[in-house]
Amino acid sequence: MTDVSRNGHPATSNGRATDGAIGAQGKTVIMGAGPGGLCSAYVLSKAGYPAVVLEKAPFVGGLARTIRRQTEHGEFKFDIGGHRWFTKNDELNDLFREVIGEELLWVNRTSRIYFDGKYVDYPLKISNALKAMGTGTSALAMADYARTRASRKVSPKPVVSMEDAYIDQFGPTLYKMFFQRYSEKVWGLPCDQMSGDWVSQRSKGMSLVTAVKDAIVPSKGKVVSLIDEFMYPAGGFGRFSERMADAIGAKGNEIQLGTGVEKVLREGNRVTGLQVRRADGTVDVVEGDNFISSIPLTMLAKIVEPAAPAEVLAAADKLTFRNIITVNLMLKKRQVTTDTWLYVHDRNILFGRFHEPKNWSPEMVPGDEYTSLVVEYFCSFGDHIWSMSDEELVEQTTRHLIDDMGFITRDEVIGGFAIRAPRAYPSYVIGYEKPLEAIKAFVDTLENLQIIGRYGTFRYNNTDHSIETGLLAAKNLLGERHDLDQVNADKEYHEIKRVAAEPAVTAAR
Ligand SMILES: Cc1cc2nc3c(=O)[nH]c(=O)nc-3n(C[C@H](O)[C@H](O)[C@H](O)COP(=O)(O)OP(=O)(O)OC[C@H]3O[C@@H](n4cnc5c(N)ncnc54)[C@H](O)[C@@H]3O)c2cc1C
């Protein structure tokens, strides 16, 4: 085995690594075949290094996979909630294009919020939001925002909760109308119990003032919206993972499906192997030199053997995730809406959002006379939504769409099924930072293990961030030095890019 060291730790004798970097000599074992883990294997495979990916499920793609359903009408395809590709990072855009090749589509995005029977553009376009609110409420929104800013100037208030953060950025009226109800649906907790970190990660630099300013006079460089169009693989977002998997196989590296990691075996501060259970129930150990994990961080902390210190195990119990269930409806109808996504704020409608895959790519349905909907329910283990049977969920969804929203009729529904995705959203409940730090500090002591991805790092990462961590983890093994904690720590709102000249995302199209 090679003597490797963790990124940022003192260098060891490794043939390829530069001082302080981990080296890729020997075999890299990657836990999880979502986009993050596959990206690490893709980069290592391209560079000619041995890597093996261990995946519990019988398919690749994780949360970003595409499900195919064969019916008498032909094949329907469904993402686990629509996944669009967008990033400001040109290296990642290049990687996405390289992988997707001729399957790449550009899709126009028009998303709206449905609230109290009205529609407002999403993300909020300020003129449109104020128009939908009416003159009186708009004036109130502007006045209470101004009052909030003034009082915070006089006596600054630290932003602790999600509620603080939204009110700080948009004022109390806009918060209550456009952010509170939806956030509470997503997280299942009042916004004053959720950390403000999520808001700052998702919409740093955005506020009523910047939105109004940018609507009137774009300032500080041209604002390029990453909102209006995005890249998407014609056969569904899962093609990204499937094509990476094909490329990994073509280079002679392996993805072992139906292989769940049950124990992370260590000697002192080095991981030596992983105990896995195969789909047929057999248990064996996969040895390696370097390890990358994209499995839930809380699970990782608990399966290290010899075990992590008691305080780390206790910390793992304190972090929670939110689950998602998608209800996939197949319809004999040409189109339901022209939206990319429709966000549903009303409390009496149990789901939070839906998208119509055909609006993303015509290949998602068997023919032009068909369409489909992917309807997202946010829930937690044991709550009233998670406890519903799949049949009840399909029926509930159909009823909402017929009776409450008037989008479809019963005879248009030709079938439906539910998909459950546990631990889809890391929950930034107030106080989550300390347990997270304790787990990460322990994982950091394991010198030949890197953590990547979304639930792998307990960070609300999109696919671009998830693959960025996978890419940088692989580069660390190839002799570069990258701090994976810096991924998704942007200072600017994810969905805009300020540039002096032509936007890279358009220029490179
Ligand atoms: C509803 C929804 C919509 C989204 N929309 C977008 C979007 O529009 N754009 C975007 O960029 N991103 C989007 N995302 C985020 C995107 O899905 C994630 O960022 C991405 O899938 C994370 O990749 P990953 O590899 O870190 O993790 P995952 O995709 O979760 O993959 C982790 C893999 O690890 C496997 N695993 C778990 N435990 C074990 C074990 N013990 N042993 C072996 N394998 C194991 C899992 O089966 C899984 O395949 C969305 C997510 C959701 C839930």
Side-chain angles (χ1 to χ4, degrees):
M1 289 206 187
T2 38
D3 187 13
V4 291
S5 74
R6 192 173 163 72
N7 182 34
H9 289 205
T12 53
S13 57
N14 180 300
R16 291 181 60 89
T18 57
D19 185 46
I22 311 172
Q25 277 186 5
K27 182 167 93 176
T28 300
V29 185
I30 298 159
M31 300 174 235
L38 288 171
C39 183
S40 295
Y42 178 79
V43 173
L44 290 170
S45 302
K46 264 179 73 174
Y49 286 91
V52 59
V53 186
L54 309 176
E55 168 56 55
K56 188 169 66 174
F59 41 73
V60 299
L63 279 175
R65 72 187 182 277
T66 297
I67 292 151
R68 298 181 181 86
R69 184 54 70 107
Q70 197 59 47
T71 69
E72 59 183 282
H73 306 269
E75 189 181 75
F76 288 83
K77 302 187 185 81
F78 302 95
D79 293 354
I80 312 284
H83 277 61
R84 75 189 156 130
W85 174 264
F86 76 103
T87 176
K88 295 180 235 179
N89 182 322
D90 294 335
E91 185 183 9
L92 299 178
N93 279 324
D94 289 345
L95 192 146
F96 188 77
R97 275 189 288 258
E98 172 183 295
V99 171
I100 295 304
E102 74 293 349
E103 290 187 48
L104 188 73
L105 289 182
W106 279 89
V107 182
N108 286 329
R109 168 172 154 178
T110 42
S111 292
R112 291 181 299 167
I113 296 171
Y114 176 89
F115 82 107
D116 302 337
K118 288 186 223 127
Y119 292 94
V120 178
D121 291 339
Y122 179 84
L124 281 190
K125 285 191 184 129
I126 211 63
S127 53
N128 166 262
L130 296 179
K131 198 167 145 205
M133 289 158 65
T135 326
T137 317
S138 299
L140 177 69
M142 298 301 235
D144 71 17
Y145 175 71
R147 242 191 329 272
T148 308
R149 299 299 326 147
S151 78
R152 294 208 169 158
K153 261 211 169 115
V154 178
S155 47
K157 181 172 180 269
V159 170
V160 176
S161 68
M162 189 175 264
E163 180 169 287
D164 297 340
Y166 276 132
I167 291 178
D168 199 56
Q169 288 183 353
F170 298 101
T173 303
L174 281 176
Y175 157 67
K176 283 198 191 107
M177 288 190 83
F178 296 113
F179 298 101
Q180 184 180 25
R181 280 192 277 180
Y182 190 72
S183 302
E184 291 182 358
K185 259 192 187 178
V186 174
W187 299 110
L189 283 176
C191 291
D192 60 1
Q193 290 180 33
M194 297 298 298
S195 164
D197 289 359
W198 188 84
V199 182
S200 51
Q201 238 181 52
R202 301 288 291 186
S203 58
K204 202 170 262 173
M206 283 292 282
S207 72
L208 191 53
V209 168
T210 55
V212 170
K213 262 200 210 155
D214 281 337
I216 302 166
V217 196
S219 59
K220 280 197 197 153
K222 191 174 166 199
V223 175
V224 174
S225 175
L226 303 183
I227 295 165
D228 298 334
E229 58 176 2
F230 59 89
M231 285 190 258
Y232 190 71
F237 199 83
R239 292 294 297 143
F240 181 44
S241 293
E242 290 167 3
R243 288 181 69 119
M244 278 196 285
D246 290 345
I248 292 162
K251 293 283 181 189
N253 280 329
E254 208 186 346
I255 297 162
Q256 298 181 3
L257 298 177
T259 302
V261 177
E262 291 191 337
K263 282 183 188 165
V264 175
L265 309 170
R266 65 170 171 141
E267 282 170 18
N269 289 342
R270 292 186 59 75
V271 176
T272 56
L274 305 175
Q275 182 181 304
V276 298
R277 184 177 298 272
R278 311 278 182 192
D280 64 4
T282 54
V283 173
D284 64 79
V285 171
V286 179
E287 291 183 338
D289 303 285
N290 316 300
F291 294 84
I292 295 176
S293 170
S294 70
I295 70 172
L297 183 60
T298 46
M299 170 194 271
L300 178 77
K302 287 183 175 177
I303 61 174
V304 174
E305 206 171 277
E311 60 274 19
V312 174
L313 299 177
D317 284 331
K318 291 196 181 115
L319 296 183
T320 54
F321 294 86
R322 193 88 164 131
N323 303 339
I324 189 168
I325 300 176
T326 55
V327 172
N328 305 288
L329 285 189
M330 294 167 275
L331 303 166
K332 184 94 196 292
K333 184 181 179 86
R334 282 184 183 274
Q335 192 173 39
V336 177
T337 79
T338 53
D339 294 297
T340 307
W341 273 295
L342 191 71
Y343 294 81
V344 181
H345 284 204
D346 301 49
R347 287 198 173 99
N348 64 323
I349 297 176
L350 289 185
F351 56 74
R353 185 172 79 158
F354 69 77
H355 85 281
E356 191 166 355
K358 187 186 185 180
N359 293 349
W360 298 45
S361 164
E363 284 185 29
M364 303 300 280
V365 290
D368 198 36
E369 63 275 39
Y370 298 99
T371 192
S372 59
L373 294 177
V374 179
V375 179
E376 299 172 30
Y377 288 84
F378 310 107
C379 48
S380 298
F381 293 116
D383 73 8
H384 64 295
I385 294 176
W386 189 260
S387 307
M388 285 165 85
S389 69
D390 290 4
E391 294 70 30
E392 284 168 333
L393 282 159
V394 171
E395 178 52 28
Q396 178 76 46
T397 307
T398 310
R399 272 205 308 266
H400 279 322
L401 289 165
I402 297 172
D403 301 337
D404 300 320
M405 305 182 86
F407 280 136
I408 57 171
T409 56
R410 193 161 284 274
D411 60 331
E412 289 167 341
V413 181
I414 56 178
F417 62 98
I419 295 286
R420 290 166 192 262
R423 301 180 193 85
Y425 294 90
S427 294
Y428 294 177
V429 180
I430 287 178
Y432 80 100
E433 302 90 337
K434 278 215 165 106
L436 181 57
E437 273 165 26
I439 299 173
K440 284 175 77 173
F442 167 70
V443 170
D444 258 357
T445 66
L446 299 171
E447 59 193 27
N448 56 343
L449 171 70
Q450 299 182 82
I451 55 170
I452 62 164
R454 176 152 158 145
Y455 57 22
T457 58
F458 200 84
R459 199 171 175 91
Y460 195 93
N461 283 336
N462 277 326
T463 309
D464 56 310
H465 307 121
S466 303
I467 71 155
E468 189 175 357
T469 54
L471 171 76
L472 297 183
K475 284 186 171 185
N476 281 340
L477 295 173
L478 295 173
E480 297 183 15
R481 298 181 67 169
H482 300 279
D483 179 358
L484 305 192
D485 274 342
Q486 291 311 307
V487 173
N488 193 8
D490 251 9
K491 298 267 179 300
E492 192 172 62
Y493 182 37
H494 282 175
E495 301 204 0
I496 59 168
K497 179 173 179 174
R498 288 174 200 276
V499 291
E502 187 70 5
V505 71
T506 310
R509 188 175 155 179

